[in-house]
Amino acid sequence: MKVSPSILTCNYAHLEQEMGFVKDSGADMVHLDVMDGVFVPNLSFGPPVIAALRPVSDLPFDVHLMMQYPLRLVDAFADAGADIINFHMECSSPIQETLDVIKAKGKKAALTLKPATPAEAVFPYLDQLSMVLVMTVEPGFGGQKFMEDMLPKISGLRREIDRRDLRVDIEVDGGIGAATAPLVAKAGANVAVVGSALFNANDPQSLVNELHTL
Ligand code: DX5
Ligand code: ZN
């Protein structure tokens, strides 16, 4: 699996050093969780913080927009330095138009599914996506327990992607660590968002190495 550490549980007083921590762990990209206080009951950061981080990291930025109206700001996130822009199928912006703006900005587009949204909801868009993000917790907070009942959704999605011979990554987000990563990998996920498990790890590099072998 590829590893995309979420900096949601990092020390925000030392963001530059935290980006160094992510790089030193051997991770493949950085997962940036944007929360608007409406789509989820929490607030995090927006385009100015991502723009400030861009020069201090050479890893791809995997931006996860937990926003009710992502279309209003996708331009700003693209200009801030996002490489992959994930937004939720349950949002209130028009999905096709939002995908079109992301692609017009030359960025990779991904759609995200909350736990209650079935895999089939994303099938009509699959051929336009570089990735599908399956939430394995309710979005909003780091450090929650992995929802094992999301495994059939991951395998259903993998079956459909393979049946249509598409090159779409399946990313999982929420409660992923050494114990849960093998389960999601077996179901067909190939990108792991890891937040608290990595930032609290005694040996972050060996955790990333371990996930790379799955
Ligand atoms: C939850 C976020 C996740 C979260 C992951 O809303 O999208 O990226 O921070 O954190 P852990 O790995 O601690 O569940
Ligand atoms: Zn996330």
Side-chain angles (χ1 to χ4, degrees):
M1 298 189 92
K2 286 188 206 155
V3 182
S4 188
S6 162
I7 62 162
L8 194 63
T9 46
C10 80
N11 181 344
Y12 286 84
H14 303 287
L15 275 178
E16 184 169 1
Q17 289 95 309
E18 297 288 32
M19 298 304 274
F21 167 86
V22 169
K23 178 76 179 177
D24 293 344
S25 75
D28 305 276
M29 49 191 131
V30 188
H31 186 83
L32 299 162
D33 285 305
V34 175
M35 304 186 183
D36 68 352
V38 177
F39 187 76
V40 289
N42 199 4
L43 276 170
S44 58
F45 48 80
V49 171
I50 294 177
L53 291 175
R54 187 64 284 181
V56 303
S57 177
D58 60 2
L59 292 176
F61 280 2
D62 167 31
V63 177
H64 176 195
L65 301 180
M66 285 164 270
M67 297 176 61
Q68 197 67 43
Y69 296 101
L71 181 58
R72 294 179 183 169
L73 281 173
V74 275
D75 264 274
F77 283 106
D79 294 340
D83 296 288
I84 305 167
I85 301 183
N86 289 282
F87 66 101
H88 275 262
M89 295 222 61
E90 308 84 5
C91 74
S92 300
S93 291
I95 289 178
Q96 188 58 56
E97 196 181 338
T98 308
L99 289 172
D100 291 343
V101 174
I102 294 170
K103 296 194 155 203
K105 296 294 275 184
K107 306 299 181 181
K108 292 181 176 167
L111 276 166
T112 308
L113 306 171
K114 281 170 74 169
T117 305
E120 291 73 23
V122 79
F123 287 1
Y125 302 99
L126 275 182
D127 57 351
Q128 306 178 55
L129 304 177
S130 77
M131 188 158 83
V132 176
L133 169 52
V134 177
M135 292 306 301
T136 44
V137 297
E138 287 297 340
F141 300 91
Q144 302 183 78
K145 192 176 174 295
F146 172 76
M147 295 168 71
E148 206 160 330
D149 52 344
M150 293 298 109
L151 292 172
K153 191 199 287 195
I154 298 165
S155 43
L157 201 47
R158 174 52 67 200
R159 258 196 314 278
E160 180 68 6
I161 290 168
D162 291 351
R163 186 184 71 77
R164 288 162 60 180
D165 201 23
L166 298 169
R167 300 280 167 274
V168 182
D169 291 324
I170 301 179
E171 181 175 51
V172 283
D173 185 3
I176 306 296
T180 51
L183 308 176
V184 289
K186 186 157 179 271
N190 64 318
V191 183
V193 175
V194 188
S196 47
L198 188 79
F199 282 87
N200 299 331
N202 292 326
D203 185 351
Q205 285 182 354
S206 58
L207 176 60
V208 171
N209 284 340
E210 196 176 327
L211 301 195
H212 277 162
T213 65
L214 297 172

